[in-house]
Amino acid sequence: QKEVEQNSGPLSVPEGAIASLNCTYSDRGSQSFFWYRQYSGKSPELIMFIYSNGDKEDGRFTAQLNKASQYVSLLIRDSQPSDSATYLCAVNSRYGSSNTGKLIFGQGTTLQVKP
Amino acid sequence: KAGVTQTPRYLIKTRGQQVTLSCSPISGHRSVSWYQQTPGQGLQFLFEYFSETQRNKGNFPGRFSGRQFSNSRSEMNVSTLELGDSALYLCASSDGAGTGGGKRFGPGTRLLVL
């Protein structure tokens, strides 16, 4: 089992719809979760991160954590064609009970927003 | 603040050569991490430096090495290049070690090994 898993997609949604991206992780004790967006030929761009104490909303983006089921979601409201990209989920690896500086990435989900 | 900068942006080398990549983190950031991205393996962690000390290392052979300078700039070196080393090498910086929070990536160095 991979440590961080994402459906590779593509996930296709119409413009204006809500896009829902999911990511599962294997380490039940993980405390920090990150979503990056990567356009083709570009480097990953940090969208948002959350800690194990709660969800977070930032503009059209909402990150939600379900600790019991060990998955993290990213919701994009009012999806725009410019949101079309690969979305990478990452989890902070741990050594014992402490976070390390290493991020473990999923393979990414390709999102297509159709006008 | 200026973002993370990486040089060079593109590089072509032949097998057996060595290469050095450079990364300047965001001003005030003391943690620098390096990742390799390939279509098949995705993003994989190479190593992390904080205050000139390597704090974490990924599962890469010893041909991959790095260092960090007192001004937080970092370099990574790959010796005896192999075809499989062709990848996008990404540097990320953050303001602390161990938290993993808010890592920002540079534009990357695209390495092609022929």
Side-chain angles (χ1 to χ4, degrees):
Chain A
Q1 180 192 6
K2 290 185 178 179
E3 293 177 272
V4 179
E5 294 201 62
Q6 295 180 258
N7 188 320
S8 62
L11 173 66
S12 183
V13 301
E15 183 176 356
I18 295 175
S20 177
L21 303 155
N22 295 316
C23 160
T24 59
Y25 59 94
S26 61
D27 183 356
R28 184 169 290 279
S30 295
Q31 300 168 359
S32 309
F33 309 88
F34 307 84
W35 283 101
Y36 286 83
R37 175 175 62 196
Q38 186 172 27
Y39 293 111
S40 180
K42 301 293 186 182
S43 63
E45 173 193 7
L46 180 67
I47 298 174
M48 61 196 311
F49 59 93
I50 58 172
Y51 297 114
S52 57
N53 59 352
D55 302 341
K56 187 175 181 180
E57 180 176 321
D58 184 2
R60 295 187 296 115
F61 299 91
T62 299
Q64 299 175 322
L65 172 64
N66 185 319
K67 283 194 282 188
S69 300
Q70 292 179 231
Y71 76 81
V72 189
S73 300
L74 178 69
L75 301 177
I76 307 174
R77 289 180 297 280
D78 189 23
S79 295
Q80 301 297 309
S82 58
D83 294 326
S84 298
T86 296
Y87 288 80
L88 297 160
C89 170
V91 175
N92 205 348
S93 75
R94 299 191 307 145
Y95 180 76
S97 60
S98 301
N99 283 330
T100 71
K102 170 185 174 182
L103 294 183
I104 303 170
F105 284 85
Q107 290 289 90
T109 298
T110 300
L111 174 65
Q112 296 175 345
V113 181
K114 301 200 171 180
Chain B
K1 283 183 179 177
V4 179
T5 58
Q6 293 186 245
T7 57
R9 294 291 309 279
Y10 303 93
L11 210 45
I12 299 175
K13 292 286 188 179
T14 56
R15 279 181 301 175
Q17 288 187 309
Q18 75 159 12
V19 66
T20 298
L21 312 180
S22 181
C23 170
S24 292
I26 292 170
S27 178
H29 283 190
R30 292 194 291 161
S31 170
V32 174
S33 303
W34 289 89
Y35 290 80
Q36 180 197 67
Q37 186 174 33
T38 59
Q41 299 298 317
L43 269 158
Q44 293 188 291
F45 173 78
L46 281 156
F47 24 68
E48 182 198 22
Y49 288 88
F50 182 79
S51 293
E52 302 178 65
T53 301
Q54 186 181 88
R55 295 182 65 92
N56 290 286
K57 190 175 190 306
N59 296 323
F60 279 82
R63 301 184 296 107
F64 291 81
S65 63
R67 60 178 175 169
Q68 186 180 32
F69 302 96
S70 58
N71 62 358
S72 295
R73 190 177 70 84
S74 177
E75 289 181 347
M76 67 163 281
N77 183 277
V78 187
S79 62
T80 319
L81 284 165
E82 300 178 358
L83 296 179
D85 297 333
S86 295
L88 178 65
Y89 289 89
L90 293 158
C91 167
S93 80
S94 62
D95 55 7
T99 62
K103 286 195 190 297
R104 265 77 175 176
F105 282 93
T109 294
R110 195 166 294 278
L111 172 65
L112 177 62
V113 182
L114 301 175

